[in-house]
Amino acid sequence: MADRFKILYKGGESELVVKKSRFIATLRPVESEEEAAAFLAEMRKKYWDASHNCFAFTIGMNHELTRCSDDGEPAQTAGRPMLEVLLGEDVHNVCAVVTRYFGGTLLGTGGLVRAYSGAVKEGLAASAVVEKQRAFRMLVHTDYSSVGKIQYILGQEKITVLSSDYTDKVDFALLVPASQCDPLKEALTEGTNGTAGIELGDEVWFGLYNKEVVLFE
């Protein structure tokens, strides 16, 4: 299982004009083919008078499900280039719809490929992409004499402290990336001479958005 992969966290929209043709890229997070279909239907309704509404999506941490459509444009000039941008950027669980309003000038196959792929790149730039990471909750119990050492280790390892509870002892609730669990337990055990109690909890997925921790269900 992959411990981390990039997802579209928040969608975005951008517009590219090429020889008076408008290419409007709209991106949205999706978790299933049904969600992608519903999003496409929404865009087709919104841009009902457009020349084309081409789409591409990829779903799953290993890009298990991918689809794309040229929607009447010459074969391989729209949907496939759009999908290749998503795969090339290695962004998962995302659907992109590029709406074209024809401007009266033919762009040729190369021009169409550049326009549709360029629109998706700009759409991604206008969206929020987050690296989703596998982690575990960890609870550390300690007496006050070891607090400084534990805080130092957590700072060195850049571990997120979800909460800290100071009573007759101190409890730290941590969010620890999966790959750091064993090394952190060793460091905490060694740093406190084995006096700290360490409990490994549930597996969770998280990401950082605007430097804030986001937990995923």
Side-chain angles (χ1 to χ4, degrees):
M1 175 188 292
D3 282 339
R4 57 181 63 201
F5 60 101
K6 292 189 293 183
I7 63 165
L8 193 77
Y9 180 58
K10 289 188 177 180
E13 181 180 306
S14 66
E15 182 172 331
L16 183 66
V17 179
V18 181
K19 294 182 180 179
K20 297 183 179 179
S21 276
R22 296 171 60 205
F23 294 86
I24 304 168
T26 311
L27 279 71
R28 184 173 296 178
V30 292
E31 297 284 344
S32 66
E33 189 166 9
E34 291 74 20
E35 286 187 19
F39 172 48
L40 176 60
E42 179 186 328
M43 292 298 99
R44 284 176 170 164
K45 182 177 180 180
K46 179 178 180 179
Y47 298 113
W48 61 270
D49 58 340
S51 308
H52 307 276
N53 283 290
C54 305
F55 76 87
F57 66 79
T58 175
I59 296 170
M61 67 173 60
N62 295 307
H63 301 293
E64 290 91 344
L65 180 60
T66 61
R67 298 281 188 277
C68 61
S69 169
D70 297 310
D71 193 33
E73 292 281 31
Q76 305 295 309
T77 62
R80 189 67 206 180
M82 292 167 59
L83 180 60
E84 286 177 354
V85 171
L86 300 178
L87 296 176
E89 293 294 329
D90 199 25
V91 181
H92 306 245
N93 298 349
V94 52
C95 182
V97 176
V98 175
T99 301
R100 182 190 183 188
Y101 284 92
F102 183 55
T105 301
L106 296 175
L107 302 183
T109 55
L112 288 172
V113 169
R114 288 189 293 274
Y116 278 101
S117 59
V120 174
K121 289 177 183 177
E122 291 196 4
L124 277 173
S127 303
V129 175
V130 166
E131 185 174 53
K132 189 174 178 178
Q133 302 181 51
R134 189 168 71 96
F136 288 88
R137 298 179 189 272
M138 183 182 289
L139 190 61
V140 178
H141 316 279
T142 184
D143 56 31
Y144 279 83
S145 64
S146 297
V147 167
K149 182 64 176 179
I150 289 174
Q151 289 175 327
Y152 174 78
I153 293 171
L154 299 180
Q156 287 292 103
E157 299 299 323
K158 298 180 180 179
I159 299 300
T160 297
V161 179
L162 296 173
S163 66
S164 52
D165 186 24
Y166 293 81
T167 55
D168 57 328
K169 56 183 177 58
V170 184
D171 294 329
F172 292 103
L174 311 177
L175 182 64
V176 186
S179 61
Q180 291 179 257
C181 283
D182 288 342
L184 180 64
K185 287 167 65 177
E186 291 180 10
L188 291 173
T189 299
E190 181 178 339
T192 64
N193 294 318
T195 61
I198 302 171
E199 297 177 24
L200 195 62
D202 297 336
E203 178 181 294
V204 294
W205 288 85
F206 80 101
L208 293 177
Y209 177 64
N210 288 338
K211 298 182 179 180
E212 296 290 331
V213 173
V214 178
L215 294 175
F216 299 99
E217 293 183 1

